[in-house]
Amino acid sequence: MSTAKIKQQPEVLEAVVIRFVGDSGDGMQLTGTQFSDTSAMFGNDIATFPNYPSEIRAPQGSLYGVSGFQVHIGSVEISTPGDNLDLLVAMNPAGLKTNLYAVKSGHTIIVDSDAFTKKNLEKAQYKTNPLEDGSLDNYRVIEVSMTRLTKEALKDVEGLDNKSITRSKNMFSLGMVYWMYDRSIEHTIEFFNKKFKTKPQIIEANTKVLNAGYFYAETLEIIPNSYTISPAKMEAGTYRIIMGNTATAWGLLAAAEKSGLELFLGSYPITPATDILHELVKHKHFGVKAFQAEDEIAGITSAIGASFAGDLAITTTSGPGLALKGEALGLAMMIELPLVVVDVQRGGPSTGLPTKTEQSDLLQAMYGRNGESPVIVIAASTPANCFDFAFEAAKLALEHMTPVVLLTDGYIANGSAPWKIKSINEMPEIKNNLVNQITENWHPYDRDEETLARNWAIPGTKGFEHRIGGLEKDSITGNISYEPENHEKMTKIRAEKVERVKNVIPKLETEFADSGDLLVIGWGGTYGSLHSAVKQLNDDGYKNIGYAHFNYINPLPKNTEEILSKFKKIIVCELNDGQFAKILKNNFNGFEFLQKNKIQGLPFGNTELTDEFKKLVK
């Protein structure tokens, strides 16, 4: 009689949160990405959160060297990578110790028991082995000798050294998770064939280990049956999983196509913004000119030069780089040239937490230049809408002839979500102020009556000769002017030009309640966390809580005060020490703004938000 376990019908779940953790060399980012992509192809809604150390290769087995990848999949709306885990896959003791707090009681932990050696336990500061001391009795623990089983699966594969064999164990864990959640392994095998097409032994090794993990899970009595998550109900269309940085790059490409201009990127590599440079370099066939500069200052000044020459000019950076770009950003504002500065925020100050998220560059983006130097500031809020706000940043810069700072952050830049693919024909038109026909009495600082945008004349074109530079300009000719009245006039014009942008940006809208006891306010990458928390409370009967999310920071939407006046209490939630709250207080001093702040390099958790909001309402 056969003793093989009979495959039962998978139990249907609404959503599941999974986290893969291990050393930075254990391939957790690849493992998580493959599970995410496979689930997306199945039709699940999805959100991811990669979390890794800033060191390129942190000490093996150390607590601060743990690399992780979290994925939240569901048949319902998924707005965040989730809080409490249904499954933790820990490849070593350090991964278990630093992530155990997030696992729901009674839920599953898979560990590579071969990694729980005396040496690794000491590195993780365990006094006793948690697999033996009873500290994990509240969880369903699956101990797997992954290292040994991986070696066993690959004993007949030639041309692999011991290091390569051991590194394949992440595919063993992935195979197990595929079986547990009723996922096909075919997509990942196809990935192996494409990525390693010149290395057949690597294809063979990874495929064998993936299959070994899959079928090993099938034999485990501790897993009585697998689970499945049905496809999500989403708006009809073609989707792909996209990371925020990739979406930003594609939004800029779409803006260049729509405006009829070539795209120039002047950039210096910096975490976590570098992937935008990496992505744009791939698209030279679209006319992209990407310049990896020797420093941040060269990056932005080369972009200013490209803008002067008639390109859609971009520079990308993170907080420390934005500080270095401040003087040149003021120059672009002064000479009134279109420029997009993408700031992918990270933990600061100084070098700070390079691979962790934060929203602490807001005041720098608003005021980090000498003199009266206003620029447009907008912020993306999800990995997918990084595309839309990159496009919007370029549109505003070109149509209003002034720099735009686009703020994203490490959370949404490295995270991923489904994105409905758009046709360029669906995108709004982008007008620019390029002049190509000489008119009588033409002047470089003639302005559009509605936007106050000045003419954009390409240098070297006969009849369009004019001066630019950092010295103050005459309001008509553009020649250097030291007249006190002219300086004041130009200062007010440049400020009014930014202020008039509120006439073309969308009005602020609220979700869940138009008025009530509490208005929750967020901006930028906190959208998913705050939306989910308020939605949960609304579903639980708290119908008096509304939510307003800001994507436009400077200028603010023109109906902001009207929205604020409809709620008894207002709380501003942000991943800094209250920077947006300061901006709101400066603009609307008749309101009290409560604050919920977090500066830990991590996004908001659902429970910490819902507990806070419940305290503020009846």
Side-chain angles (χ1 to χ4, degrees), residues 364-403:
Q364 181 179 207
M366 288 284 291
Y367 308 117
R369 296 164 295 283
N370 65 300
E372 299 291 336
S373 186
V375 298
I376 299 169
V377 180
I378 66 176
S381 48
T382 70
N385 78 18
C386 283
F387 177 94
D388 301 300
F389 284 100
F391 184 94
E392 177 76 345
K395 179 177 169 66
L396 292 173
L398 292 169
E399 294 184 347
H400 297 268
M401 290 295 289
T402 193

Side-chain angles (χ1 to χ4, degrees), residues 232-427:
K233 295 179 181 179
M234 304 175 74
E235 183 183 349
T238 303
Y239 289 80
R240 66 157 288 159
I241 290 294
I242 197 167
M243 291 178 61
N245 275 337
T246 303
T248 299
W250 289 10
L252 297 171
L253 285 169
E257 176 73 16
K258 202 69 179 181
S259 64
L261 302 177
E262 290 189 344
L263 178 66
F264 177 91
L265 172 67
S267 184
Y268 179 75
I270 184 172
T271 301
T274 308
D275 282 339
I276 302 173
L277 170 63
H278 291 165
E279 183 62 30
L280 287 175
V281 165
K282 300 175 184 177
H283 300 289
K284 294 180 181 179
H285 54 286
F286 286 137
V288 174
K289 292 168 284 189
F291 169 55
Q292 182 174 319
E294 66 269 27
D295 56 39
E296 296 282 2
I297 298 171
I300 188 171
T301 51
S302 65
I304 293 172
S307 178
F308 183 45
D311 280 355
L312 170 55
I314 316 295
T315 188
T316 56
T317 192
S318 190
L322 185 63
L324 291 168
K325 293 180 189 292
E327 182 182 1
L329 181 54
L331 171 64
M333 187 281 308
M334 181 72 166
I335 59 183
E336 299 183 58
L337 283 174
L339 174 70
V340 176
V341 180
V342 182
D343 175 20
V344 186
Q345 300 168 95
R346 71 190 207 186
S350 188
T351 308
L353 303 173
T355 61
K356 310 300 180 183
T357 198
E358 208 164 272
Q359 291 184 297
S360 295
D361 295 347
L362 179 58
L363 294 182
Q364 181 179 207
M366 288 284 291
Y367 308 117
R369 296 164 295 283
N370 65 300
E372 299 291 336
S373 186
V375 298
I376 299 169
V377 180
I378 66 176
S381 48
T382 70
N385 78 18
C386 283
F387 177 94
D388 301 300
F389 284 100
F391 184 94
E392 177 76 345
K395 179 177 169 66
L396 292 173
L398 292 169
E399 294 184 347
H400 297 268
M401 290 295 289
T402 193
V404 176
V405 177
L406 169 62
L407 297 172
T408 70
D409 59 59
Y411 176 51
I412 60 174
N414 292 321
S416 58
W419 172 67
K420 185 181 177 183
I421 297 174
K422 299 183 179 182
S423 165
I424 195 69
N425 297 324
E426 300 174 31
M427 308 299 293

Side-chain angles (χ1 to χ4, degrees), residues 401-476:
M401 290 295 289
T402 193
V404 176
V405 177
L406 169 62
L407 297 172
T408 70
D409 59 59
Y411 176 51
I412 60 174
N414 292 321
S416 58
W419 172 67
K420 185 181 177 183
I421 297 174
K422 299 183 179 182
S423 165
I424 195 69
N425 297 324
E426 300 174 31
M427 308 299 293
E429 294 296 322
I430 296 180
K431 300 177 182 178
N432 59 54
N433 294 277
L434 283 170
V435 290
N436 52 26
Q437 186 175 354
I438 293 293
T439 58
E440 187 176 355
N441 297 321
W442 175 84
H443 301 102
Y445 282 80
D446 291 337
R447 297 181 182 276
D448 180 90
E449 290 184 3
E450 291 186 8
T451 65
L452 296 181
R454 76 168 181 89
N455 286 323
W456 189 12
I458 304 301
T461 307
K462 187 175 181 180
F464 290 119
E465 295 85 359
H466 64 286
R467 293 184 177 186
I468 65 167
L471 293 171
E472 186 60 276
K473 311 289 180 296
D474 179 82
S475 63
I476 301 297

Side-chain angles (χ1 to χ4, degrees), residues 92 225 405 515:
N92 64 5
N225 61 302
V405 177
S515 61

Side-chain angles (χ1 to χ4, degrees), residues 150-151 154-155 157-169 201-202 205:
T150 297
K151 291 179 179 178
L154 299 180
K155 63 182 180 181
V157 179
E158 298 180 356
L160 291 178
D161 56 30
N162 189 60
K163 183 178 180 181
S164 298
I165 292 173
T166 303
R167 287 180 63 182
S168 300
K169 65 183 179 181
Q201 73 274 22
I202 300 296

Side-chain angles (χ1 to χ4, degrees), residues 129-161:
N129 188 338
L131 304 181
E132 301 171 352
D133 62 11
S135 60
L136 302 179
D137 287 350
N138 289 334
Y139 308 96
R140 180 171 66 172
V141 181
I142 303 175
E143 299 180 35
V144 184
S145 296
M146 287 190 209
T147 304
R148 179 181 62 80
L149 291 170
T150 297
K151 291 179 179 178
E152 180 67 23
L154 299 180
K155 63 182 180 181
D156 296 326
V157 179
E158 298 180 356
L160 291 178
D161 56 30

